[in-house]
Amino acid sequence: MASAPPPITADPLPETARKRRRANLEALAQRQAELARMLGEIEWPAGASIATGRDGAVVAIRGADNGTIDWLGGTSMPTVSAREVLGGPADRNLSVALASVGSGYEAMLLADRLDAHAAVFVCAPDPVDLILALHAVDWTRLLRSGRIVPLAGDIEMALRAFIEHHPGY
């Protein structure tokens, strides 16, 4: 008989998530200081929480205060769905772009599958999605090494600015 999934637990903003966000922003500031500064000014959204997903992974949710749950990336099992969504890059040698933040785990998984010189550009038209992911997922190693490159707001403008400041990326 299959066991029941673990209960979903949520905390509006636990200290571990605050520390994870600080570490991620410090790592991001090494390569993208302006974006780190901008994200550091974003307040934790009302109704958002940090939860433990059904796979045991940390994930951000919205709406817990009104009885609905909107999982960041649309999944209560982010580590399971990230593996399923990302079968693998067609060419490990090339950088790739993700059209959204997802749950945050997709970028980490994909970066680890690419060659060391390739990057994952994570597009976040709504910077709040990015700040939620930075609270939930530890990207510090990949941000420091430039393997994850977040782009927030107007993505075309953000990408142009990034390339201008990082020629040959």
Side-chain angles (χ1 to χ4, degrees), residues 74-95:
T75 179
S76 64
M77 298 191 308
T79 60
V80 173
S81 65
R83 285 191 306 269
E84 294 302 316
V85 168
L86 302 171
D91 188 342
R92 296 176 49 90
N93 192 40
L94 298 175
S95 293

Side-chain angles (χ1 to χ4, degrees), residues 5-9 50-61 71 75-78 105:
I8 297 166
T9 58
I50 293 294
T52 302
R54 294 186 308 139
D55 57 356
V58 176
V59 65
I61 61 174
W71 298 88
T75 179
S76 64
M77 298 191 308
Y105 290 91

Side-chain angles (χ1 to χ4, degrees), residues 23-45:
N24 278 326
L25 288 176
E26 288 170 9
L28 179 61
Q30 292 177 8
R31 291 182 179 266
Q32 294 175 271
E34 187 176 322
L35 179 58
R37 212 172 8 264
M38 185 267 289
L39 292 173
E41 295 173 0
I42 295 176
E43 296 290 326
W44 183 250

Side-chain angles (χ1 to χ4, degrees), residues 66-155:
N66 67 13
T68 64
I69 297 179
D70 179 18
W71 298 88
L72 185 63
T75 179
S76 64
M77 298 191 308
T79 60
V80 173
S81 65
R83 285 191 306 269
E84 294 302 316
V85 168
L86 302 171
D91 188 342
R92 296 176 49 90
N93 192 40
L94 298 175
S95 293
V96 297
L98 291 177
S100 75
V101 173
S103 66
Y105 290 91
E106 296 86 352
M108 189 169 57
L109 178 67
L110 191 52
D112 284 340
R113 290 182 178 177
L114 295 174
D115 289 344
H117 65 274
V120 177
F121 289 85
V122 179
C123 302
D126 181 354
V128 172
D129 289 342
L130 189 53
I131 206 67
L132 290 171
L134 293 176
H135 278 87
V137 184
D138 182 1
W139 284 354
T140 54
R141 170 182 60 88
L142 296 164
L143 289 167
R144 276 192 197 102
S145 65
R147 304 283 316 286
I148 288 182
V149 178
L151 303 170
D154 181 322
I155 301 304

